[in-house]
C-alpha cells in the first residue's frame, strides 16, 4: 500500500530551512550584541528543575492485579553555555505495578541560530502532535493517565493496544517560529532521527517506555504490530539503528495565543533491517481556550507494512525475515490504524474538572482486522494547591471489543519544581 | 504534480522566513536608560506574552518563584520548548526579571550579584580610565575620589548607600540612586565598563591601590 508521505519531501523542507537559517540576516537585537538584561548576567549557568508524582491505582472488578502505589521522578538539568547555547536533559525514574523503569527522556543541545530558528541535536521529544512534546509531564497533564492512543507514562488499563509511545528519538531538528503580530505565530519543525525498529522479545525487554509488543497491554508499550507475529516497534534509544534509513518528519502549526492552536505533523521511516517495511504517521492537533474552558484534541493515523509468513494464518510481522534482512516470499500488506482523543477542562478557583474521550478504531490490513477497536472515558477532578502542585482524581472507563473489565480509579499527587 | 506541490511548499516556507525578519516587537537593545518610558511598554508587552503563551500548556508560574538568573536560563529553555521567537522569549524574560523585584528594574540581581573571583590589576587599571573618562565620575566625586558638594567620597570606608562591597558598588552604578544626581550607567557606559569602574572604586576604598 502506498505510504502517505513522500519520503524525500521533509528532506527538501529541512534543506530549505537550513539554508534560511544561514542566509537570513539576524535581527538588530542579535547583531548589535547583548540586550538590556543580557549585560547583567554571566554567560554560563546551571539549574535543576523537573517534575514528579506519587499515585495509587485501583483496577476495578479485576480481582487479580493488586492495587498499586506508583511514583515518578523526572529531574531536568539545564546548562546555559552561553546566550545562544543551552544543553538540557531529563531523566525519568518510575515505579509502577512493581516495575522500575529508568529512561533518558531527552538530552539535547539547543542552538539559537537567530531570532527565528533553533537547531536541536541529541535525543529530543519529537514534534509530532503536541502531547508527547508538551503535555505529558505529570504537573501539566490534567489526568494521571495518558490518552489511550499513547502507551507508557501512566497508560495502564488501556482499552486496546495503543498506537504510539511518548515519542522521543535521537537525531537533529530545526525549529522555526515566525511572529505575525497580534500574538499570531506560525511554527515549523523538521527532524531526522534514528527511527523505529522491531522491538525485542518481552523476555529480553528492559521495560523501557518506548517498547511495544505484549508490554503495550501493561502500559509500557509503543505501537503494536499484532496478528500472530511477535514484536511491536520500539522508538528511542533502547536499540541502535538497524538500517541506513532514517526517520524524517515535521510539523507545521499556527496559533493565536492563547485562544487557538492547530498543527499538522507527519513522520515516515523504514523499520526493518532491509529497509523494505515502512512505518508512517500523520496527526492533526487542535486546541482552544475560552475563559475557564480548555479543549485539546488529536487525530492520529498510522500505517505499518507487514510481511505475511506462509506458516501463519492471516498477516503477521515476519520478525525472522526482518532479522536476516531479506524479504521472504510472502505478501506485504499495510496495517492502517486510526485514533483520536478529545479533552475538555474547566477551571473554577482551585478546582478543575476534566473529561477526556479516547477512541481507537479497528486496525485493518486489507480486509482483515488485526487490532481491536477501543474506547475510553476518563472523568477527572483536579485540585490545584499551587500552579505546579496538584492532586488529581480519575475514574477511567474502558470499553473494548474483548470482554475485559479493566476500569480504573486513580489518585495522583503531582508537582513541578 | 508532487514536484509542483513540493516547490510551492518550499516557496511558502522561504517567504515566511524572509518576510518575517522585521519584528513587530520593540528591540530590547534600542534603549539604554532603565527608566525610559519605552521600558515600561516593553515590560507590559512581556507581561501580556507571559499570560498568553504560558497558559497554552501549563498554569503560569509566579515571577517570584525564581531568581533572575534562573529565569534567564528557564526562558532560554522555553524559547525552544514553547516555539517562541528569540525576541518574544526576551520580552517575557525581562517582564519576569522586573516582576520578581520591588523596583521595576530589569536585571537587578539582588543576592545574585557576584564579586569577581579575582579583581585584577588590569581590571582596576581599566576602571581608572573609565572613572576619569567615559564615566565622568570625577566630575562629581573628584579626581582623587575625595568627593564634592553633590557627591560623597569614594575613598574611605564610609558609605551612604550600601555596604561598600563590590556587589553594592556595582549595583549603584547600574541602577543609580533615586533622588540624587547619581544616574544609572553614568555617561552611558557599558556594563563591562561599569564592572571595571566598580572594581577600581572598590580597590581604592579598600586600600588595595592608590587613587
Amino acid at each position: 500500500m502506498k505510504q502517505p508521505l513522500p519520503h524525500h519531501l521533509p528532506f527538501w523542507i529541512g534543506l530549505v530551512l537550513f539554508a534560511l537559517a544561514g542566509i537570513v540576516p539576524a535581527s538588530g537585537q542579535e547583531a548589535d550584541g547583548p540586550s538590556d538584561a543580557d549585560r547583567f548576567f554571566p554567560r554560563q549557568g546551571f539549574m535543576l528543575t523537573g517534575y514528579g508524582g506519587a499515585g495509587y491505582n485501583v483496577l476495578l472488578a479485576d480481582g487479580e492485579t493488586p492495587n498499586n502505589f506508583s511514583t515518578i521522578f523526572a529531574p531536568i538539568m539545564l546548562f546555559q553555555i552561553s546566550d545562544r547555547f543551552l544543553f538540557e536533559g531529563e531523566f525519568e525514574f518510575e515505579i509502577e505495578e512493581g516495575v522500575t523503569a529508568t529512561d533518558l527522556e531527552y538530552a539535547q543541545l539547543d542552538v539559537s541560530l537567530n531570532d527565528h530558528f533553533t537547531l536541536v541535536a541529541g535525543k529530543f521529544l519529537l514534534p509530532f502532535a503536541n502531547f508527547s512534546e508538551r503535555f505529558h509531564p505529570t504537573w501539566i497533564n490534567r489526568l494521571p493517565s495518558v490518552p489511550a492512543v499513547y502507551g507508557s507514562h501512566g497508560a495502564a488499563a488501556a482499552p486496546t493496544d495503543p498506537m504510539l509511545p511518548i515519542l522521543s528519538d535521537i537525531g537533529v531538528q530545526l525549529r522555526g517560529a515566525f511572529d505575525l503580530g497580534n500574538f499570531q505565530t506560525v511554527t515549523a519543525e523538521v527532524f531526522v532521527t534514528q527511527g523505529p525498529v522491531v522491538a525485542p522479545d518481552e523476555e529480553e525487554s528492559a521495560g523501557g517506555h518506548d517498547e511495544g509488543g505484549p508490554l503495550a497491554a501493561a502500559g509500557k508499550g509503543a505501537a503494536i504490530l499484532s496478528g500472530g507475529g511477535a514484536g511491536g516497534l520500539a522508538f528511542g534509544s533502547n536499540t541502535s539503528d538497524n538500517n541506513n534509513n532514517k526517520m524524517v518528519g515535521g510539523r507545521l502549526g499556527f496559533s493565536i495565543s492563547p485562544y487557538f492552536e492547530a498543527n499538522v505533523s507527519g513522520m515516515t521511516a523504514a523499520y526493518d533491517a532491509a529497509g523494505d517495511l515502512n512505518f508512517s504517521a500523520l496527526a492533526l492537533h487542535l486546541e482552544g481556550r475560552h475563559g475557564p474552558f480548555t479543549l485539546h484534541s488529536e487525530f492520529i493515523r498510522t500505517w505499518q507494512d507487514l510481511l505475511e509468513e506462509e506458516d501463519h494464518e492471516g498477516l503477521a510481522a515476519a520478525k525472522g525475515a526482518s532479522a536476516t534482512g531479506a524479504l521472504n516470499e510472502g505478501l506485504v500488506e499495510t496495517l492502517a490504524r486510526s485514533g483520536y482523543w478529545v479533552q475538555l477542562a474547566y477551571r473554577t478557583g482551585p478546582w478543575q474538572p476534566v473529561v477526556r474521550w479516547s477512541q481507537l478504531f479497528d486496525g485493518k490490513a486489507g480486509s482483515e482486522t488485526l487490532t481491536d477497536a477501543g474506547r475510553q472515558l476518563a472523568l477527572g477532578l483536579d485540585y490545584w494547591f499551587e500552579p505546579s502542585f496538584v492532586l488529581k482524581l480519575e475514574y477511567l472507563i474502558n470499553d473494548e471489543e474483548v470482554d475485559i473489565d479493566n476500569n480504573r480509579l486513580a489518585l495522583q499527587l503531582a508537582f513541578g519544581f | 504534480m508532487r514536484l509542483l506541490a513540493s516547490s510551492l511548499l518550499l516557496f511558502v516556507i522561504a517567504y515566511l522566513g524572509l518576510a518575517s525578519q522585521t519584528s513587530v516587537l520593540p528591540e530590547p537593545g534600542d534603549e539604554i536608560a532603565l527608566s525610559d518610558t519605552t521600558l515600561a511598554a516593553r515590560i507590559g508587552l512581556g507581561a501580556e506574552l507571559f499570560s498568553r503563551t504560558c497558559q497554552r500548556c501549563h498554569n503560569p508560574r509566579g515571577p517570584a518563584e525564581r531568581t533572575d538568573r534562573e529565569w534567564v536560563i528557564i526562558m532560554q529553555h522555553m524559547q525552544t520548548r514553547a516555539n517562541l521567537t528569540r525576541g518574544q522569549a526576551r520580552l517575557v524574560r525581562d517582564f519576569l526579571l522586573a516582576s520578581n523585584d520591588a523596583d521595576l528594574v530589569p536585571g537587578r540581581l539582588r543576592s545574585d550579584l557576584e564579586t569577581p573571583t579575582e579583581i585584577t590589576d588590569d581590571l582596576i587599571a581599566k576602571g581608572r580610565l573609565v572613572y576619569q573618562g567615559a564615566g565622568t565620575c570625577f566630575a562629581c566625586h573628584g579626581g582623587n575620589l575625595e568627593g564634592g558638594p553633590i557627591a560623597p567620597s569614594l575613598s574611605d570606608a564610609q558609605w551612604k548607600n550600601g555596604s561598600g562591597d563590590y556587589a553594592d558598588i556595582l549595583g549603584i552604578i547600574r541602577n543609580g540612586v533615586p533622588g540624587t544626581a547619581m544616574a544609572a550607567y553614568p555617561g552611558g557606559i557599558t556594563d563591562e565598563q561599569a564592572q571595571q569602574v566598580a572594581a577600581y572604586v572598590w580597590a581604592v576604598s579598600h586600600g588595595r591601590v592608590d587613587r
Side-chain angles (χ1 to χ4, degrees):
Chain A
M1 178 176 170
K2 189 176 182 180
Q3 290 291 325
L5 287 179
H7 194 77
H8 57 82
L9 178 60
F11 167 77
W12 289 110
I13 295 174
L15 191 63
V16 170
L17 287 179
F18 271 106
L20 285 174
I23 65 176
V24 163
S27 57
Q29 65 202 58
E30 281 71 50
D32 294 340
S35 65
D36 283 353
D38 286 329
R39 17 181 220 178
F40 292 96
F41 297 99
R43 288 294 182 267
Q44 298 176 349
F46 166 80
M47 71 173 295
L48 180 68
T49 180
Y51 60 91
Y56 186 66
N57 304 314
V58 179
L59 286 179
L60 302 174
D62 179 73
E64 295 182 0
T65 305
N67 301 333
N68 272 280
F69 290 99
S70 63
T71 188
I72 180 171
F73 174 58
I76 299 173
M77 282 149 278
L78 306 177
F79 296 87
Q80 182 193 32
I81 303 168
S82 75
D83 60 347
R84 300 292 182 98
F85 295 87
L86 179 80
F87 187 85
E88 52 183 311
E90 177 188 330
F91 291 97
E92 279 199 0
F93 307 94
E94 184 176 9
I95 302 174
E96 187 171 22
E97 295 184 357
V99 176
T100 300
T102 60
D103 196 13
L104 179 63
E105 186 90 315
Y106 59 85
Q108 62 188 69
L109 178 66
D110 304 332
V111 182
S112 180
L113 300 173
N114 57 31
D115 197 40
H116 299 286
F117 293 104
T118 300
L119 181 71
V120 177
K123 186 178 185 187
F124 48 84
L125 294 164
L126 295 182
F128 182 82
N130 275 14
F131 190 86
S132 283
E133 191 188 26
R134 297 182 190 167
F135 297 143
H136 80 271
T138 55
W139 70 283
I140 298 177
N141 186 6
R142 275 17 180 204
L143 292 168
S145 65
V146 301
V149 299
Y150 293 106
S152 75
H153 292 73
T160 184
D161 302 317
M163 298 176 67
L164 294 167
I166 300 298
L167 293 162
S168 67
D169 204 355
I170 307 174
V172 64
Q173 176 188 174
L174 184 66
R175 303 172 71 93
F178 307 92
D179 182 9
L180 303 181
N182 293 320
F183 304 102
Q184 300 175 72
T185 306
V186 169
T187 59
E189 299 90 14
V190 289
F191 61 87
V192 178
T193 62
Q194 301 272 66
V197 298
V198 177
D201 292 331
E202 181 183 15
E203 57 269 22
E204 298 169 356
S205 166
H209 291 303
D210 298 332
E211 295 180 354
L215 293 176
K220 300 290 190 286
I224 190 166
L225 191 162
S226 68
L233 295 182
F235 291 79
S237 63
N238 291 349
T239 61
S240 59
D241 201 2
N242 62 345
N243 56 39
N244 286 326
N245 182 285
K246 303 302 178 189
M247 182 161 71
V248 292
R251 182 175 64 187
L252 184 65
F254 170 74
S255 65
I256 306 174
S257 294
Y259 305 111
F260 172 76
E261 181 171 352
N263 61 62
V264 292
S265 45
M267 55 186 177
T268 183
Y271 67 86
D272 67 313
D276 296 320
L277 303 177
N278 208 74
F279 174 83
S280 297
L282 285 175
L284 170 66
H285 177 93
L286 297 171
E287 64 182 71
R289 272 166 210 86
H290 181 71
F293 292 96
T294 304
L295 182 71
H296 290 93
S297 62
E298 290 181 352
F299 304 84
I300 299 174
R301 187 162 174 84
T302 64
W303 295 264
Q304 184 173 3
D305 288 340
L306 304 178
L307 194 63
E308 180 180 6
E309 285 188 337
E310 294 181 0
D311 56 346
H312 281 272
E313 291 186 3
L315 297 171
K319 187 175 181 183
S322 296
T324 59
L327 279 175
N328 69 8
E329 298 176 351
L331 299 173
V332 175
E333 289 282 353
T334 300
L335 170 63
R337 302 189 67 191
S338 298
Y340 72 92
W341 62 274
V342 181
Q343 178 177 296
L344 179 67
Y346 172 76
R347 183 70 182 263
T348 174
W351 298 96
Q352 188 169 38
V354 185
V355 177
R356 186 179 65 217
W357 173 259
S358 304
Q359 183 160 0
L360 290 91
F361 300 96
D362 289 336
K364 293 182 179 294
S367 60
E368 187 164 349
T369 298
L370 296 187
T371 61
D372 296 324
R375 291 159 294 278
Q376 183 183 79
L377 176 65
L379 304 174
L381 182 63
D382 298 345
Y383 183 85
W384 294 92
F385 299 97
E386 299 287 340
S388 60
F389 182 38
V390 59
L391 178 65
K392 305 181 224 176
L393 176 66
E394 178 190 52
Y395 180 48
L396 202 63
I397 305 168
N398 286 306
D399 179 20
E400 58 278 331
E401 299 292 321
V402 181
D403 188 18
I404 297 176
D405 185 356
N406 60 350
N407 295 346
R408 186 182 82 162
L409 191 66
L411 194 65
Q412 185 186 59
L413 198 58
F415 58 92
F417 60 90
Chain B
M1 189 63 187
R2 182 186 301 175
L3 181 60
L4 177 61
S6 302
S7 302
L8 285 175
L9 182 59
L10 292 177
F11 173 78
V12 169
I13 292 173
Y15 174 81
L16 285 175
L18 294 173
S20 304
Q21 287 314 296
T22 302
S23 174
V24 297
L25 301 173
E27 297 294 327
D30 287 346
E31 60 275 345
I32 300 295
L34 298 176
S35 58
D36 192 274
T37 54
T38 306
L39 175 63
R42 284 187 52 226
I43 293 174
L45 186 55
E48 190 159 9
L49 275 170
F50 170 81
S51 67
R52 285 172 175 262
T53 58
C54 296
Q55 64 170 304
R56 286 162 48 203
C57 297
H58 58 76
N59 296 324
R61 309 279 287 265
E65 284 190 25
R66 301 289 190 185
T67 65
D68 288 355
R69 181 177 296 166
E70 287 174 335
W71 280 127
V72 169
I73 298 174
I74 288 174
M75 284 313 303
Q76 197 164 339
H77 158 74
M78 289 310 303
Q79 177 185 333
T80 301
R81 185 66 60 201
N83 274 27
L84 303 175
T85 67
R86 188 188 290 171
Q88 290 174 324
R90 286 181 169 176
L91 283 170
V92 174
R93 176 201 65 189
D94 290 353
F95 157 72
L96 292 167
L97 303 185
S99 301
N100 67 351
D101 189 17
D103 298 325
L104 288 179
V105 175
R108 183 165 181 177
L109 292 173
R110 299 173 303 166
S111 60
D112 285 341
L113 284 171
E114 286 183 343
T115 301
T117 55
E118 183 179 8
I119 296 181
T120 63
D121 291 341
D122 179 66
L123 199 67
I124 295 170
K126 290 178 178 177
R128 181 182 289 112
L129 294 176
V130 174
Y131 183 92
Q132 302 290 355
T136 66
C137 313
F138 65 91
C140 298
H141 291 282
N144 292 318
L145 287 73
E146 73 277 12
I150 61 170
S153 168
L154 301 176
S155 61
D156 55 25
Q158 304 297 319
W159 295 90
K160 292 181 62 178
N161 300 286
S163 63
D165 63 11
Y166 174 84
D168 280 356
I169 295 172
L170 181 59
I172 291 170
I173 296 171
R174 284 170 165 170
N175 303 313
V177 179
T180 73
M182 180 62 196
Y185 291 96
I189 59 175
T190 67
D191 190 67
E192 183 179 10
Q193 290 174 312
Q195 295 179 49
Q196 293 166 351
V197 71
Y200 168 68
V201 170
W202 178 87
V204 171
S205 63
H206 287 73
R208 184 163 170 178
V209 295
D210 292 330
R211 297 170 178 76

